[in-house]
Amino acid sequence: MKNIKNYNLEELKHELVQMGEKPFRAEQIFRWIYVENVTSFDEMTNLSLDLREKLKINFTMSIFNILKKQVASDGTIKYLFDVLDGNAIETVLMKYHHGYSICVSSQIGCKMGCKFCASTGVAFARSLTSGEIVEQLLAVERDEKIKISNVVFMGIGEPLDNYDNVVNAIRIINNQKGINIGARHISVSTSGLVPNIYKLAEENIQCTLSISLHATTNEQRSKMMPVNNLYNIEELLKACKDYIERTNRRISFEYALAKENNDNLEDAKRLVKLLKGMNCHVNLIPINKIENGTFTKSTNENIMKFRDYLNDHGIVATIRRELGSDIDAACGQLRRKNLL
Ligand code: SAH
């Protein structure tokens, strides 16, 4: 059976028409799923009993089970969800003064092999469907009885390695007749899959693109991120410039600071040179500790010096708040879990 949450509104209309129903039924169903956040077809009371039965025969609602829920001292919540096939993924809810932000996973495991990230330490299982991406948000909203206002694709997996499902999930999340989170409140982070950055620029989605840059020379970046051997810094930045030009959107560069690795003044100088003149923002992440990891966090002093150097030289830089690190919910600490 097909997960009904894999369809965006247009596709759902098409499905309903195929079943001999009127397209507006799709809008009603869409509302039940994404606005009312119901968990069964029986609750869709403005549909005939007959149609509800037909839906039950043809589709599932694929409601995730919560296997574990951990609350950090700063209020960040990490969920372990049973994705109903023996696999489990993590999703993180963060509370900010401007609202709730959810960090969703896009794959079960990750193929990218970044040396500092825990998501890559366990074998890759598969990509998530768009319905499974969206269900993370719905499940958290149901559990906490809240409305989420920001979505970041920064959980487990490489979003641009699951391109179609991620783009479709964004369309579903963005739809005004459903969850209705504006594209500007949706961020997609990539380790740098260059061809799909060009592709994303063509989609006409106003989401924010974040690039995991983390280093300023190819030698250094290749040591941290094997993807750099495929698409180097020059190719990556060229794609970023194209993205900014086409979408008129500012790009965010993520830079995880590790002691005696990429955090000295020479690095900051090179970073300024690389990004000079680009419509961008740098998000400095004090690198988080992972099991068996070789990188350690820069000192606070170095982190602030690094930020100040960038800001003094025309590159807007902020330090990302470390949320949820006491429950391994911070950047780079999420892992897929196997239930079997
Ligand atoms: N695969 C995508 C999505 C992951 S987003 C990507 O690479 O962009 C998670 C962000 O946290 C990325 O910028 C990633 O590089 C960063 N990150 C990974 N491990 C980290 C760690 N140990 N400490 C701090 N940031 C880390």
Side-chain angles (χ1 to χ4, degrees):
M1 270 204 283
K2 298 169 280 187
N3 178 358
I4 199 158
K5 293 169 193 166
N6 283 337
Y7 300 90
N8 65 41
L9 184 54
E10 286 317 304
E11 292 166 342
L12 195 58
K13 280 184 187 167
H14 181 78
E15 288 293 308
L16 268 285
V17 171
Q18 295 283 306
M19 290 164 66
E21 298 289 334
K22 294 260 170 3
F24 81 92
R25 294 287 176 206
E27 293 200 6
Q28 291 178 319
I29 296 167
F30 209 73
R31 195 182 154 77
W32 282 115
I33 299 175
Y34 300 110
V35 180
E36 303 299 332
N37 202 347
V38 299
T39 55
S40 69
F41 292 112
D42 291 325
E43 290 163 83
M44 303 183 179
T45 47
N46 59 357
L47 307 182
S48 68
L49 281 175
D50 180 50
L51 176 53
R52 282 184 245 167
E53 285 310 310
K54 269 208 275 189
L55 291 173
K56 274 192 238 174
I57 293 166
N58 286 290
F59 301 101
T60 62
M61 297 272 295
S62 299
I63 301 296
F64 285 171
N65 301 316
I66 299 174
L67 295 170
K68 197 168 172 186
K69 179 179 176 184
Q70 289 167 277
V71 184
S73 52
D74 58 31
T76 299
I77 301 176
K78 182 167 79 167
Y79 289 90
L80 182 67
F81 287 121
D82 166 10
V83 298
L84 313 172
D85 71 344
N87 285 297
I89 50 149
E90 294 186 318
T91 304
V92 176
L93 177 72
M94 293 158 289
K95 295 173 189 176
Y96 291 102
H97 56 271
H98 54 80
Y100 288 97
S101 197
I102 191 174
C103 177
V104 295
S105 291
S106 57
Q107 296 182 310
I108 306 175
C110 185
K111 299 182 210 158
M112 305 315 293
C114 299
K115 297 287 184 276
F116 46 87
C117 181
S119 300
T120 220
V122 207
F124 176 82
R126 63 174 174 87
S127 283
L128 292 174
T129 64
S130 37
E132 290 169 328
I133 294 171
V134 178
E135 171 61 11
Q136 294 171 60
L137 181 146
L138 295 175
V140 170
E141 286 195 338
R142 283 195 302 270
D143 181 60
E144 281 286 299
K145 299 182 181 56
I146 52 163
K147 179 85 185 94
I148 287 164
S149 51
N150 284 275
V151 181
V152 299
F153 284 80
M154 296 189 184
I156 303 164
E158 165 51 50
L160 296 191
D161 184 42
N162 183 18
Y163 186 88
D164 291 341
N165 292 345
V166 164
V167 167
N168 201 43
I170 294 173
R171 293 200 196 285
I172 295 170
I173 293 168
N174 185 221
N175 195 302
Q176 292 185 351
K177 296 195 164 133
I179 297 170
N180 193 19
I181 295 179
R184 283 161 189 266
H185 296 276
I186 302 173
S187 294
V188 175
S189 179
T190 179
S191 56
L193 293 181
V194 164
N196 284 348
I197 294 174
Y198 285 109
K199 214 168 150 188
L200 190 65
E202 301 286 327
E203 296 285 350
N204 201 19
I205 304 176
Q206 289 287 301
C207 64
T208 301
L209 183 62
S210 292
I211 304 284
S212 295
L213 186 60
H214 303 317
T216 52
T217 68
N218 283 316
E219 196 193 344
Q220 198 184 27
R221 191 166 188 268
S222 296
K223 276 189 198 149
M224 298 174 76
M225 308 175 69
V227 65
N228 197 65
N229 293 312
L230 219 53
Y231 310 108
N232 67 20
I233 294 181
E234 291 70 35
E235 290 169 277
L236 177 58
L237 292 181
K238 193 162 166 258
C240 291
K241 284 174 189 154
D242 174 83
Y243 187 90
I244 294 168
E245 213 164 274
R246 274 173 208 274
T247 61
N248 244 327
R249 300 278 292 142
R250 185 170 81 160
I251 282 189
S252 188
F253 287 99
E254 292 154 294
Y255 194 98
L257 288 159
K259 199 187 235 166
E260 285 153 26
N261 171 58
N262 60 353
D263 68 339
N264 67 37
L265 199 60
E266 290 308 308
D267 294 292
K269 282 184 185 164
R270 280 194 298 266
L271 191 54
V272 167
K273 268 204 192 126
L274 286 175
L275 303 184
K276 198 95 209 161
M278 271 173 98
N279 182 15
C280 70
H281 166 262
V282 174
N283 218 229
L284 298 170
I285 318 175
I287 209 160
N288 292 302
K289 225 183 149 36
I290 61 162
E291 216 177 288
N292 303 324
T294 50
F295 297 101
T296 46
K297 195 178 288 183
S298 302
T299 59
N300 280 344
E301 195 194 334
N302 269 7
I303 294 171
M304 285 190 295
K305 267 195 202 155
F306 204 96
R307 177 200 57 194
D308 294 344
Y309 184 89
L310 296 182
N311 283 328
D312 290 346
H313 292 81
I315 307 284
V316 182
T318 50
I319 300 169
R320 185 179 286 177
R321 275 173 64 208
E322 291 169 75
L323 293 175
S325 58
D326 54 339
I327 54 164
D328 280 352
C331 301
Q333 295 184 317
L334 304 186
R335 307 162 69 91
R336 73 166 275 231
K337 303 276 190 315
N338 209 327
L339 298 183
L340 303 174

